[in-house]
């Protein structure tokens, strides 16, 4: 039963490609305990259509910490050329890091926020994907600069989607996608925060 | 000029040497599908599975007492290291995996030291890593042992010895060098 499965709530955002990058992303994906591959390739379990992404860019590997009866997850960088940022830590090829409850992941311009809701099952886990029309991650120091990008008009917020992302804790407060929230440069951000502060 | 002189410099590859032993391997042919002594080159991102099911596992054992997928080996790179390391993961729900003195349950994993003994059931694997430069590939090489690896004391986990070769007179469980005055010896 699904309520016993660990659920990964995964929010995705790309500043330029928008929804086209996520055309092959299902709303829900159940996976066994083998590593879940994320990349451009057809054999990737989560296929993202971006030309600069590696065929296998990263993996999410379920495992169990000794002494724990629950699943943990380890994110491993699989791109030989690119890198992956996880909670401010840069991973190069074959480097890996265990995930915490909420994780900010950036790679090839993609922002991915993973919220883990742990369940009892050791057989499988579920990913629920949410496409965000607005940035999920930003650099706090960028608020003090004049550099920002206008969010394209076709990405004006849709009420139900915003409500879903708010409900899951990916966003806080009312949608303000027209505001000047700067984009972090891909893969080079320093410290990043999940919640956006409401501008005064 | 010859092609040897002009060719790109080859990178050395990380090699994992696996010496295997099972008490009844001669009678039962459990290692029948293992290509002993042959060095096999594999991509470094590969998760190498060991078990009974040839559709899933890269290396198989013809033994019904082996789980369909028993365990896996996978490379990773430690942040503090320039070389690749191996991680072993128990994929069997029934059988624990013993790595030196540590027991791994289902989905438990740990990084392998340069040399270690891995056991499950009657199977013994002495696994030794030789570092290489390449990040893209690694090699495996299987060696068949006709004698038990434990009985031969081929590998006994022991504490590191002091660099100067002087063993302290008292017992110690410390794994870091202990500074002593030479007059105490």
């Amino acid at each position: 039963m699904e309520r016993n499965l660990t659920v990964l709530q995964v929010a995705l955002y790309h500043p330029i490609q928008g929804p086209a990058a996520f055309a092959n992303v299902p709303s829900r994906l159940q996976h066994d305990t083998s590593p879940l591959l994320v990349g451009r390739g057809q054999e990737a379990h989560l296929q993202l259509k971006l030309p600069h992404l590696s065929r296998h860019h990263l993996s999410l590997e379920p495992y169990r910490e000794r002494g724990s009866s629950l699943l943990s997850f380890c994110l491993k960088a699989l791109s030989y050329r690119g890198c992956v940022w996880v909670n401010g830590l840069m991973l190069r090829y074959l480097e890996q890091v265990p995930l915490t409850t909420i994780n900010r992941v950036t790679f090839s311009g993609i922002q991915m926020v993973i919220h883990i809701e742990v369940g009892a099952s050791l057989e499988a886990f579920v990913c629920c994907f949410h496409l965000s029309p607005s940035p999920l991650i930003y650099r706090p120091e960028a608020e003090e600069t004049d550099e920002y990008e206008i969010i394209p008009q076709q990405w004006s917020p849709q009420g139900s989607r915003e409500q879903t992302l708010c409900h899951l804790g990916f966003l806080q407060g009312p949608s303000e996608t027209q505001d000047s929230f700067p984009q972090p440069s891909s893969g080079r951000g320093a410290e990043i925060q999940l919640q956006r502060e409401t501008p005064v | 000029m010859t092609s040897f002189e002009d060719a790109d410099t080859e990178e050395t590859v990380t090699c994992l040497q696996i010496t295997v032993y099972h008490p009844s391997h001669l009678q039962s042919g459990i290692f029948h599908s293992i290509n002993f002594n042959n060095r096999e080159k594999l991509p470094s991102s590969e998760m190498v599975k060991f078990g009974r099911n040839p559709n899933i596992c890269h290396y198989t054992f013809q033994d019904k007492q082996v789980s369909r997928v028993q365990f896996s080996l996978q490379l990773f790179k430690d942040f503090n290291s320039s070389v690749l390391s191996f991680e072993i993961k128990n994929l069997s729900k029934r059988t624990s995996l013993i790595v030196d003195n540590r027991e791994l349950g289902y989905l438990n994993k740990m990084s392998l030291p340069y040399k270690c003994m891995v056991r499950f059931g009657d199977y013994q694997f002495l696994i030794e890593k030789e570092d290489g430069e390449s990040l893209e590939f690694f090699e495996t090489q299987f060696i068949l042992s006709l004698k038990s690896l434990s009985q031969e004391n081929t590998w006994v986990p022991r504490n590191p010895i002091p660099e100067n070769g002087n063993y302290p007179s008292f017992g110690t469980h410390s794994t870091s060098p202990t500074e002593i005055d030479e007059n105490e010896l």
Side-chain angles (χ1 to χ4, degrees), chain B residues 4 59 63 68 75 85 88 93 116 120 136-138 143 147-148 150 157 159 174 182-184:
Chain B
F4 173 78
Y59 298 113
D63 181 353
R68 278 163 293 204
L75 277 173
S85 302
I88 191 168
K93 292 174 190 169
C116 66
F120 69 90
E136 286 188 82
F137 299 101
F138 72 102
I143 296 169
K147 291 183 183 178
S148 168
S150 296
N159 292 326
S174 168
E182 60 185 3
N183 295 322
E184 291 178 17

Side-chain angles (χ1 to χ4, degrees), chain B residues 5 7 10 21 26 30 38 47 64 91-92 156 165-166 174:
Chain B
E5 290 164 351
E10 282 186 12
Y21 171 78
L26 282 171
I30 51 178
N38 178 56
M47 186 181 232
K64 285 182 182 172
L91 297 175
S92 169
V156 176
N166 292 327
S174 168

Side-chain angles (χ1 to χ4, degrees), chain B:
Chain B
M1 283 188 288
T2 67
S3 59
F4 173 78
E5 290 164 351
D6 295 335
D8 289 340
T9 307
E10 282 186 12
E11 282 186 316
T12 56
V13 290
T14 303
C15 182
L16 202 66
Q17 194 173 78
I18 305 171
T19 305
V20 304
Y21 171 78
H22 187 284
S24 53
H25 80 268
L26 282 171
Q27 303 92 302
S28 53
I30 51 178
F31 296 137
H32 178 72
S33 62
I34 305 288
N35 200 347
F36 288 105
N37 303 315
N38 178 56
R39 286 194 169 218
E40 183 177 3
K41 199 170 182 178
L42 296 167
S44 52
S45 57
E46 182 127 345
M47 186 181 232
V48 184
K49 292 177 185 163
F50 295 70
R52 179 166 38 94
N53 188 331
N55 297 323
I56 303 173
C57 298
H58 198 89
Y59 298 113
T60 55
F61 309 113
Q62 273 76 54
D63 181 353
K64 285 182 182 172
Q65 293 188 355
V66 172
S67 296
R68 278 163 293 204
V69 190
Q70 190 76 44
F71 67 90
S72 68
L73 290 175
Q74 196 173 21
L75 277 173
F76 73 100
K77 192 166 147 328
D78 206 335
F79 293 112
N80 300 322
S81 174
S82 57
V83 296
L84 297 175
S85 302
F86 282 94
E87 209 169 46
I88 191 168
K89 187 174 179 183
N90 187 2
L91 297 175
S92 169
K93 292 174 190 169
R94 280 190 312 147
T95 315
S96 286
L97 200 65
I98 314 292
V99 181
D100 285 336
N101 297 326
R102 288 180 70 174
E103 184 174 343
L104 301 183
Y106 177 58
L107 297 184
N108 288 157
K109 63 174 186 172
M110 63 176 278
S111 57
L112 293 181
Y114 273 92
K115 192 172 181 179
C116 66
M117 181 74 79
V118 173
R119 284 169 288 152
F120 69 90
D122 289 330
Y123 288 82
Q124 300 173 12
F125 302 85
L126 176 63
I127 301 183
E128 299 168 89
K129 181 186 72 146
E130 199 176 276
D131 285 328
E133 296 156 341
S134 175
L135 294 181
E136 286 188 82
F137 299 101
F138 72 102
E139 281 179 349
T140 60
Q141 186 182 33
F142 283 85
I143 296 169
L144 179 64
S145 174
L146 300 175
K147 291 183 183 178
S148 168
L149 300 169
S150 296
Q151 287 173 7
E152 275 195 333
N153 280 331
T154 307
W155 171 243
V156 176
R158 52 164 67 103
N159 292 326
I161 60 170
E163 202 169 45
N164 60 5
N166 292 327
Y167 291 83
S169 55
F170 49 87
T172 176
H173 294 288
S174 168
T175 55
S176 56
T178 328
E179 192 171 315
I180 59 169
D181 185 75
E182 60 185 3
N183 295 322
E184 291 178 17
L185 294 173

Side-chain angles (χ1 to χ4, degrees), chain A residues 30-187:
Chain A
Q30 183 162 322
H31 192 72
D32 60 18
T33 52
S34 65
L36 186 142
L37 293 172
V38 179
R40 176 173 48 88
Q42 283 198 336
E43 65 279 8
H45 302 110
L46 175 61
Q47 191 189 11
L48 304 176
K49 288 177 167 294
L50 287 163
H52 299 297
L53 201 63
S54 294
R55 281 184 298 267
H56 290 169
H57 205 91
L58 62 92
S59 65
L60 296 175
E61 182 210 354
Y63 72 103
R64 205 163 56 88
E65 292 279 1
R66 290 176 83 224
S68 170
S69 58
L70 304 172
L71 281 185
S72 299
F73 290 85
C74 193
L75 191 152
K76 183 185 231 170
L78 295 176
S79 171
Y80 201 69
R81 289 192 177 82
C83 61
V84 183
W85 290 82
V86 182
N87 298 329
L89 183 68
M90 184 178 76
L91 305 183
R92 289 213 177 273
Y93 181 58
L94 295 184
E95 290 175 340
Q96 61 185 16
V97 67
L99 295 183
T100 55
T101 306
I102 298 179
N103 307 270
R104 288 92 61 188
V105 184
T106 55
F107 56 100
S108 277
I110 295 170
Q111 298 177 13
M112 182 166 76
V113 175
I114 304 174
H115 183 174
I116 301 178
E117 298 169 355
V118 181
S121 173
L122 297 180
E123 307 294 324
F125 67 99
V126 170
C127 292
C128 293
F129 296 103
H130 315 273
L131 306 186
S132 173
S134 53
L136 297 162
I137 302 164
Y138 77 111
R139 276 184 292 182
E141 65 269 18
E143 282 186 329
E144 297 165 9
T145 72
D146 291 327
E147 294 175 351
Y148 63 90
E149 287 179 16
I150 300 288
I151 308 299
Q153 282 299 319
Q154 63 268 28
W155 283 53
S156 53
Q158 297 172 20
S160 61
R161 191 183 300 171
E162 289 291 312
Q163 285 167 11
T164 304
L165 290 167
C166 282
H167 174 69
L168 291 169
F170 291 122
L171 302 176
Q172 269 190 350
S175 162
E176 293 175 349
T177 53
Q178 297 304 318
D179 289 330
S180 56
F181 281 103
Q183 302 299 311
S185 53
S186 63

